[in-house]
Amino acid sequence: MNAPLYRIPGTASPTAAPEPAPAAAAPRTIGEVLAQSQVETVMDELDRDLIGLAPVKQRIRDIAALLVVDKLRLAHGLQAQTPSLHMSFTGNPGTGKTTVAMRMAQILHRLGYVRKGHLVAVTRDDLVGQYIGHTAPKTKEVLKKAMGGVLFIDEAYYLYRPDNERDYGQEAIEILLQVMENQRDDLVVILAGYKDRMDTFFQSNPGLSSRIAHHLDFPDYAHGELQAIADRMLETLNYRFGPGAREAFDEYLQRRIAQPHFANARSVRNALDRMRLRQASRLFAERDRVLGRDDLTTLAEADVRASRVFGAA
């Protein structure tokens, strides 16, 4: 195989390596691949940790199935080329894109498609410089950190600003294009953001679009799913809703969803944080009262209804 035209300094190269340990027997069944990789554990964790998102979870299972079958094909000498695994995650904020990207990195690592399985999450500011000669070093440094794993670029469309002729985002895109093609066996890139903006971004950058093999659209959470997310978050933090508080939070959700800048699970987490703050202030005012476990773990209805959402017209 010819050496790539472009390689990030300091990354893996085809130099002499220590003599490897004896390899495990080549798998002959799907079950053997799953047993060796333990990839089903990651998919089960995805199902357990994320509420809803049925279409996304199914697509992740489909991709995992493809990779598992490819491992069997490789064992039979039927596959020699690493499949393209770069992805696009589209959807509104707080729909689980970063969490799914982390699980995807684990799946790819366990199946041997990336060396480390870590996730490096960045935005435009991490890649693009403010003056000539600044962008290339920044982008290469990020790529160097991400090699052997997954690079997650959130709001990727901000890399491209055609209205500003002095913008350096295009330079970062060109470096990404080369690495996505020439080092796709050592790096998976996931581009994420709002669907409409990502569609425009890909139309303006066909080179990037052609390198994306999998497009996953993350739907907004339904009202009941958001309530279930809140219950799970509170359980993890050892809190619970007191009498009337859960009903008040249900009403809070109905009002908040209808307001601008609602960010799904992220907004739920922020709302719970503010409720915990109100509970702490309420308890702090009763400094001489003996506080029991129930006092410290219960969010009262008043802690919910004190939100400005209930005062909005």
Side-chain angles (χ1 to χ4, degrees):
M1 181 181 295
N2 292 332
L5 298 176
Y6 183 88
R7 180 170 291 276
I8 298 299
T11 61
S13 58
T15 55
E19 186 174 338
R28 297 171 298 172
T29 68
I30 298 293
E32 288 178 357
V33 176
L34 293 174
Q36 289 180 12
S37 65
Q38 295 294 303
V39 73
E40 275 191 311
T41 302
V42 181
M43 293 190 287
D44 289 343
E45 290 173 354
L46 186 66
D47 282 335
R48 184 181 67 247
D49 294 346
L50 280 181
I51 290 170
L53 298 180
V56 173
K57 292 176 180 177
Q58 184 56 52
R59 188 64 186 278
I60 294 298
R61 287 189 174 274
D62 291 342
I63 294 171
L66 172 67
L67 300 180
V68 167
V69 170
D70 275 354
K71 296 291 285 186
L72 279 178
R73 288 174 56 85
L74 184 61
H76 286 277
L78 297 173
Q79 172 105 4
Q81 185 177 9
T82 302
S84 177
L85 294 168
H86 303 309
M87 304 178 192
S88 168
F89 287 3
T90 55
N92 290 325
T95 49
K97 294 187 291 294
T98 305
T99 300
V100 172
M102 293 173 63
R103 297 301 186 202
M104 195 71 239
Q106 292 176 320
I107 290 172
L108 295 173
H109 176 55
R110 295 196 180 197
L111 288 172
Y113 285 92
V114 292
R115 290 180 291 115
K116 300 178 182 177
H118 65 300
L119 180 81
V120 175
V122 299
T123 63
R124 171 192 163 90
D125 289 345
D126 299 298
L127 298 169
V128 181
Q130 297 179 342
Y131 50 84
I132 294 175
H134 191 206
T135 295
K138 288 188 70 172
T139 301
K140 292 174 184 178
E141 182 62 28
V142 167
L143 288 167
K144 184 177 179 180
K145 292 178 181 177
M147 281 297 162
V150 173
L151 175 62
F152 182 85
I153 306 178
D154 198 15
E155 297 184 312
Y157 33 76
Y158 286 131
L159 290 174
Y160 183 68
R161 292 181 175 174
D163 53 324
N164 184 357
E165 62 182 19
R166 299 185 61 185
D167 185 70
Y168 305 114
Q170 188 62 40
E171 184 179 358
I173 291 174
E174 290 171 0
I175 295 173
L176 282 171
L177 284 172
Q178 294 179 60
V179 173
M180 288 171 70
E181 181 63 27
N182 297 327
Q183 293 180 259
R184 63 180 183 175
D185 59 342
D186 201 35
L187 177 70
V188 172
V189 176
I190 299 177
L191 306 176
Y194 290 105
K195 179 170 176 52
D196 56 345
R197 298 185 188 180
M198 289 298 291
D199 288 344
T200 301
F201 177 59
F202 285 134
Q203 290 171 9
S204 303
N205 295 273
L208 272 175
S209 180
S210 66
R211 286 167 173 78
I212 300 297
H214 305 283
H215 294 262
L216 282 73
D217 187 34
F218 287 65
D220 288 332
Y221 287 107
H223 179 95
E225 292 171 339
L226 292 168
Q227 183 73 65
I229 288 170
D231 290 337
R232 182 171 294 181
M233 287 179 175
L234 288 181
E235 182 181 2
T236 301
L237 295 169
N238 291 313
Y239 282 87
R240 64 181 182 86
F241 286 121
R246 197 174 193 280
E247 293 76 12
F249 186 71
D250 186 76
E251 183 181 344
Y252 167 90
L253 283 176
Q254 295 180 36
R255 292 170 177 250
R256 182 65 185 90
I257 290 171
Q259 294 180 350
H261 310 300
F262 180 70
N264 289 279
R266 192 176 304 165
S267 288
V268 169
R269 184 184 65 233
N270 292 341
L272 295 178
D273 285 344
R274 289 190 289 271
M275 292 171 198
R276 292 171 55 215
L277 185 66
R278 296 184 199 110
Q279 182 230 35
S281 296
R282 174 170 53 81
L283 296 177
F284 186 79
E286 303 177 82
R287 61 184 62 193
D288 295 324
R289 183 166 74 88
V290 176
L291 299 175
R293 183 181 180 87
D294 284 347
D295 297 309
L296 297 170
T297 60
T298 302
L299 296 179
E301 180 179 359
D303 300 328
V304 182
R305 293 195 178 277
S307 169
R308 290 178 296 178
V309 168
F310 290 99

